[in-house]
Amino acid sequence: MSDQPADRDEAPSGMHKGLTSYGDAGFSLFLRKAFIKGAGFSDNALDRPVIGITSTGSAYNPCHGNAPQLIEAVKRGVMLAGGLPMDFPTISLHESFSAPTSMYLRNLMSMDTEELIRAQPMDAVVLIGGCDKTVPAQLMGAASAGIPAIQLITGSMLTGSHRGERVGACTDCRRYWARYRAQDIGADEIAAVNDQLVASVGTCSVMGTASTMACIAEALGMTVPGGASPPAVTADRMRIAERTGGQAVRIARERLTIDRVLTAKAFENAMRVLLAIGGSTNAVVHLTAIAGRLGFEMDLPALDRMGRETPVLLDLKPSGDHYMEDFHHAGGMATLLRALRPLLHLDALTVTGRTLGEELDAAGPAFAQTVVRPLSNPIYPQGGIAVLQGNLAPGGAIIKQSAASPALMEHEGRAVVFEDAADLASRIDDPALDVTADDVLVLKRIGPKGAPGMPEAGYLPIPLKLARAGVKDMVRISDGRMSGTAFGTIVLHVTPEAAVGGPLAHVRDGDRIRLSVAQREIALLVSAEELASRAAARPVVEPTAERGYRRLFLQTVTQADQGVDFDFLMPADRSKRIPGAP
Ligand code: FES
C-alpha cells in the first residue's frame, strides 16, 4: 500500500477509504498502516480490494452457529479472487433470545450494520445473516450505506425425528405444543419432541421468516445463484460461502453498488416469490422497510393484485408438507424461479453482474421433483398473503390465506377482546371466559409502539377449554405479527395500531366483526358515530419512555405499512413506487 493519498481523480478505495479525522490525511493513512501491520499484514495484502465480512455469530444465536466456518470459507473465496478479507462483528439477533422481541432490535442492527460499513474501510461487504430479523436488518443497513454488498445466508437446520415422524422448527413446535396444551400428549412426550425439533445449527427448517428472507434475498439478486437453500451444515453451503467471497471481490472492482441491484423490478420479483413460496407475513414489513431505504413506497393493494395471479407453488410447511432441505434437493430457487418465469422481470440485474434471466438459463435443465409445483398445478390457487381493508384497519391488514382454515375465511363473529398481552395471558385459559369457537379473538396493543416492537404474539392460543374440546382454529385479529412458521385464520398488522388510537383500540367485547378474504375485507360492524364517541370517552395515550433506545424507538418508529422502520432512517424522497410503472 502506498503512503500517498489515492489518485485525486478516483474515489479512494481499499485501506485509503474513510480515513480517521486527524486533520492530516497522510498521517491518518500512515497510522492505519502501522496498526494493521501490527496485526501481521504485509504491504502486498494491503494493496488489495478490501472486503468487509459481517460476523454475526453469537453463543445466543444457534441459527448462526456455522458462522465461523462460513467466515473461513468467505475469506478463502476473497483471497482466491485477489482481495483482502476483513471480518468484523455486528449485533446478532436470535428469535428466542431477544426480549421483548427481535423486531424491537431489527432497526438497531440495521444502524449498526450501516454505520460500521460507513466507518471502516471496505470496497464491498459480505452480509452473513440468517435468523429472521438479521437479513432484513443487513439489507436495510447496506442499502443505506450504498456500497457494493452481497448477502450470504447461514442456511437452514436439518430435520429431526420423533418416534418415526420427521419434525423441524418450528411449525412442528407449535403443533406439538398445541397437542400438549390440549392434554393430547403428556410431559414425557413433549420433552422428547423438544430434543428433536432443532437437529443442528441453522435457521428454522420450514418456510418461516428466515427461509422466506433467504428466498427473497436470492430473488432480489443479492445472493449468488443457489444461495438460499443449502442447509447450514452442508458442503454446498460452504461452497456458496466461498463463491460469495470471490464475487464480493468482483463487485468491489466493478463498483456494482447495491442500488443497481435493488431496483423496482428486483422488489417486484421478490414480491412474486414471497407470494409463490407461501412466505412469512413478516416479509411484507421487511420488504417495505428495505425498499423504503432506497426511496421506494410499497403498494400493498398491488401486492394483493399480484397475489390473485401468483399461486403458491412451493410445498413447504406451514402451507405444505416439506422442509427446506427438500427444497434444496429439488433444485432450490432455480426450480422455483423457472416455474415462475412468466411472471418475473428477467432483466433485473443480480450481484453476479448478470441478469436473473441469464442466471436461470445457466442453471441447467429442470428435473423431476415433487416440492415445487408448476403454475398449472399449484398447491394453493392464489398467493399466500392477502391484503385486507376495512374500517377496522384503514391502513390495511394482512392474512396468510394459504395457512388459514377454508371454513373460517368468510366469517362473522362476536369479538372477545384482550386489551394487551398481559390481559391475554391472565384470561385466555380461564374456564369462566365467555368464548365459543365461533367468536373472534381480538388482541390489542401488540403493534410497533404497543408492545413495543410488534412481537409475534398475533398467533393467539386457542382458549384452553376450547382446545380441549378439539377446536383447532378460530379467527384471531391483532396489530401484531406472527411467526412465519405458524398457521391459522389470523389477521395481522392491523394499521393503525391500537396504541396510537387506531379503530382497533375501540373494539369491545360483543361487537360483531366480519372477515371476508374473498372480498379482502376486515370490518367492525359498529357505526362511525359510535366509534367516535368511544374514542372521545377514552382517548388513547401513546406509550413513551424516559431514556435510551426505547425512547428513540417510541418516538420514531413507523407503522406496519411503512415497514416499522425509524422515520429518520428513511430518505426524505420516497416518491418511487413498487411495482414501478409497467
Ligand atoms: Fe432463527 Fe427460526 S429461530 S430462524
Side-chain angles (χ1 to χ4, degrees), residues 24 85 143 148 262 291 329 375 527 530:
D24 177 345
L262 294 183
H329 294 150
L375 281 172
S527 71
E530 169 63 16

Side-chain angles (χ1 to χ4, degrees), residues 17 54 88 90 110-122 124-127 138 141-143 145-149:
K17 282 185 82 173
T54 62
F88 62 97
T90 76
S110 85
M111 291 168 72
D112 183 16
T113 304
E114 174 185 346
E115 295 306 329
L116 289 184
I117 292 172
R118 287 186 191 280
Q120 302 172 130
M122 62 188 80
V125 62
V126 176
L127 309 161
Q138 291 179 321
I147 71 167

